[in-house]
Amino acid sequence: MNKFIFVSGGVCSSLGKGVAASSLGALLEGHGLNVRMVKCDPYINVDAGTMSPYQHGEVYVTDDGAETDLDLGNYARFTSGPLSRANSVTTGQIYDAVIRKEREGCYLGHTIQVIPHITDEIKRRILAVAGEDPANDVVIVEIGGTVGDIESIPFIEAARQMIHEMGRKNAISVHLTLIPEVAGAELKTKPTQHSVKAMQELGIQPDILVCRAPVMLDEATRQKIALFTNVESEAVIVSYDISTTIYQVPLVFYEQKLEEIVLKKMGVEVRHADLSAWYTMMEKFSARRGRVRIGIVGKYMELHDAYKSVYEAIFHAGLACGVETELVKVDSALLDAASDIDTVLGSGGTSRVDGVLVPGGFGDRGIGGMVKAACWARTHKIPYFGICLGMQVMVIEWARNVLLWEGADSTEFTPDTAHPVVSLLEDQIEVTMMGGTMRLGGSETRAREGTLIHKAYGGGPIHERHRHRYEFSNRYRTDMLDSGLILSAFTPDNALVESVEWPSHPWGLGVQFHPEFKSKPTAAHPLFTAFMQAIIAGSRSGKHR
Ligand code: GLN
């Protein structure tokens, strides 16, 4: 069975199309179906890897080393199908492939056009995901952007062709819109009517509408929307605002039988849905007691999406440990300029934190503030979790403040430092192209027994994803070990240091990889859980206060 669901969006961006598509995926999985997710991004970059986090939020890395849109992170958190390079399609990739084929002479004699050549390449990629595994049942294709955007038209057109060619039993359209509330007036359906018209002009009649609204819509409003849009009123689903967590969205849709309507439209027999994992997760959400405050010391603080997977992973760990988690976002550049760090992070200030997390990042802005935060956590015995750059900062801080090597740094920030304790990976030296050339993707790590990292994984295998060009400098292994820094995990060939830990400290761990990409609300990541447990243990003993 190969069925296709195209999820598009209208009215405006940021309506939560990724969460809606993922939630539908979760519901269909609850019915025992094998679901695959695909994101189509209309931008011309080949992948998200060369964009600033401020442009497009976090770069999500897959096991096979693709640098993708952050919506793949949503798919990974809500659904369980494999995600790879194939699940992220961009205009850049499509044109790149078509132009290469043209140069190879694959289309000799033809004029290359958006229809059919670009649309055929889009369709080929979507069908390839479906065909990866004969057990695949449904492919949910999320089309980025808002209907009416020039850039997304070829993707909408490819969807139109697939719906036309396969028939409505095999391919349907789910369209997400907004029902705004005008101050002093009622909820407005007109933007939704216009958005559906925009879809119809492009040749697609949506089968199902998902309406973002501040509250549940009454029956009369749903019928009005149905009347104006040719959608059955039962297929007008409301994604009303919830005060709990985005992970309740699958259950909000389930109440309104979204997946039953989808399955009925596609002629699939509706089986009993098992959503127990989502109900259990919500029970844990309500049962949380107490609150811990995690100081995130990073450089892309204004945009929540820039560290999305890290923030989600913290929330998941809170669920697993039964505590509410509050994020205290600290701009590392401001921390660098602050004369007294204790007033920002410490008990003297308003932003007292129970743990510090320094996430990944690139470039030298704000590094001084991260080093200060690491020093503060180390000397005040506050749990500290360093991810990628956050681990490199631990090494720099140790070299400067314990080994007293003035000016010790990563060559990323000070190329001519006298103490390059973090330096370019050897296989990066010859690299000149910037796109997709970092150390990327999943690989195995071996932890030494008796270390925090070994304990967190329960001694089991460690397979995590990377995205970096710089690395702990091997020539300093002896100096670091002799001064007490714990080098706790390595690549299987022992060539690269994968994690470091502070001695005589409740919990100070830095990892070169990105564990945040593998955390789920229904299965928190063991490193985030261990970090949270250390924070809770510290708070209970009053150590951090
Ligand atoms: N900028 C650092 C490097 O390239 C860290 C990268 C990261 O945090 N993802 O090695």
Side-chain angles (χ1 to χ4, degrees), residues 360-363 387-389 392 412 467-470 512 514:
F362 296 84
I387 294 179
C388 204
L389 177 61
Q392 298 174 0
E412 180 180 4
R467 181 173 187 250
H468 63 119
R469 287 189 207 280
Y470 296 82
Q512 188 57 78
H514 289 271

Side-chain angles (χ1 to χ4, degrees), residues 132-452:
E132 263 170 20
D133 184 341
N136 287 347
D137 295 310
V138 182
V139 180
I140 299 179
V141 183
E142 179 190 348
I143 301 175
T146 306
V147 61
D149 293 350
I150 291 177
E151 290 93 339
S152 60
I153 287 177
F155 291 105
I156 304 264
E157 168 59 16
R160 184 198 68 78
Q161 291 176 19
M162 285 182 72
I163 294 169
H164 171 70
E165 287 159 2
M166 296 178 165
R168 293 207 161 255
K169 279 261 174 280
N170 294 312
I172 63 166
S173 155
V174 174
H175 190 58
L176 186 74
T177 71
L178 177 69
I179 308 283
E181 190 171 26
V182 177
E186 74 275 37
L187 295 164
K188 293 295 180 190
T189 64
K190 192 76 83 188
T192 294
Q193 297 174 33
H194 281 294
S195 181
V196 173
K197 268 202 191 105
M199 288 292 284
Q200 289 165 342
E201 274 169 24
L202 294 171
I204 298 183
Q205 167 60 51
D207 296 278
I208 291 166
L209 294 180
V210 175
C211 302
R212 269 303 295 274
V215 291
M216 183 65 192
L217 301 180
D218 57 29
E219 192 47 38
T221 312
R222 288 169 68 175
Q223 286 194 356
K224 182 176 168 190
I225 295 168
L227 177 69
F228 278 99
T229 58
N230 290 344
V231 173
E232 292 157 45
S233 66
E234 66 156 17
V236 177
I237 305 293
V238 188
S239 183
Y240 53 83
D241 289 352
I242 42 176
S243 57
T244 50
T245 153
I246 51 164
Y247 301 114
Q248 199 188 341
V249 175
L251 299 175
V252 167
F253 289 173
Y254 182 63
E255 282 163 22
Q256 298 173 61
K257 301 193 166 48
L258 169 64
E259 85 295 356
E260 271 192 45
I261 297 164
V262 166
L263 293 174
K264 237 168 54 194
K265 285 198 182 290
M266 298 197 300
V268 180
E269 189 195 334
V270 177
R271 302 172 231 181
H272 173 70
D274 177 7
L275 296 173
S276 50
W278 295 98
Y279 282 111
T280 307
M281 191 269 312
M282 283 311 295
E283 278 163 23
K284 283 190 183 166
F285 176 84
S286 310
R288 295 175 307 161
R289 293 287 172 267
R291 168 183 289 228
V292 299
R293 304 182 77 179
I294 318 278
I296 311 291
V297 183
K299 54 189 297 183
Y300 316 111
M301 301 317 295
E302 296 92 330
L303 187 71
H304 188 81
D305 277 353
Y307 297 120
K308 188 159 179 58
S309 291
V310 170
Y311 297 154
E312 293 304 313
I314 289 173
F315 175 77
H316 305 160
L319 282 178
C321 297
V323 290
E324 279 184 42
T325 46
E326 183 183 331
L327 302 172
V328 180
K329 297 180 182 177
V330 181
D331 185 327
S332 57
L334 297 180
L335 199 58
D336 200 8
S339 52
D340 183 5
I341 183 166
D342 213 44
T343 60
V344 183
L345 296 176
S347 49
T350 49
S351 302
R352 179 172 53 197
V353 299
D354 304 308
V356 172
L357 189 150
V358 177
F362 296 84
D364 64 352
R365 185 178 61 85
I367 298 300
M370 295 178 194
V371 171
K372 274 188 180 178
C375 180
W376 180 84
R378 182 174 59 78
T379 52
H380 288 73
K381 306 235 182 278
I382 304 289
Y384 173 99
F385 191 9
I387 294 179
C388 204
L389 177 61
M391 168 206 163
Q392 298 174 0
V393 161
M394 262 174 105
V395 175
I396 295 167
E397 192 278 326
W398 185 269
R400 288 186 194 171
N401 299 329
V402 177
L403 287 162
L404 302 176
W405 292 348
E406 210 178 306
D409 213 341
S410 162
T411 54
E412 180 180 4
F413 316 128
T414 309
D416 59 354
T417 170
H419 306 287
V421 290
V422 176
S423 57
L424 205 57
L425 282 158
E426 216 166 282
D427 55 11
Q428 289 285 321
I429 294 169
E430 304 291 323
V431 170
T432 53
M433 301 284 272
M434 296 308 280
T437 56
M438 284 187 237
R439 179 183 178 213
L440 286 166
S443 58
E444 194 191 334
T445 293
R446 301 235 172 105
R448 272 184 31 216
E449 262 178 61
T451 58
L452 293 177

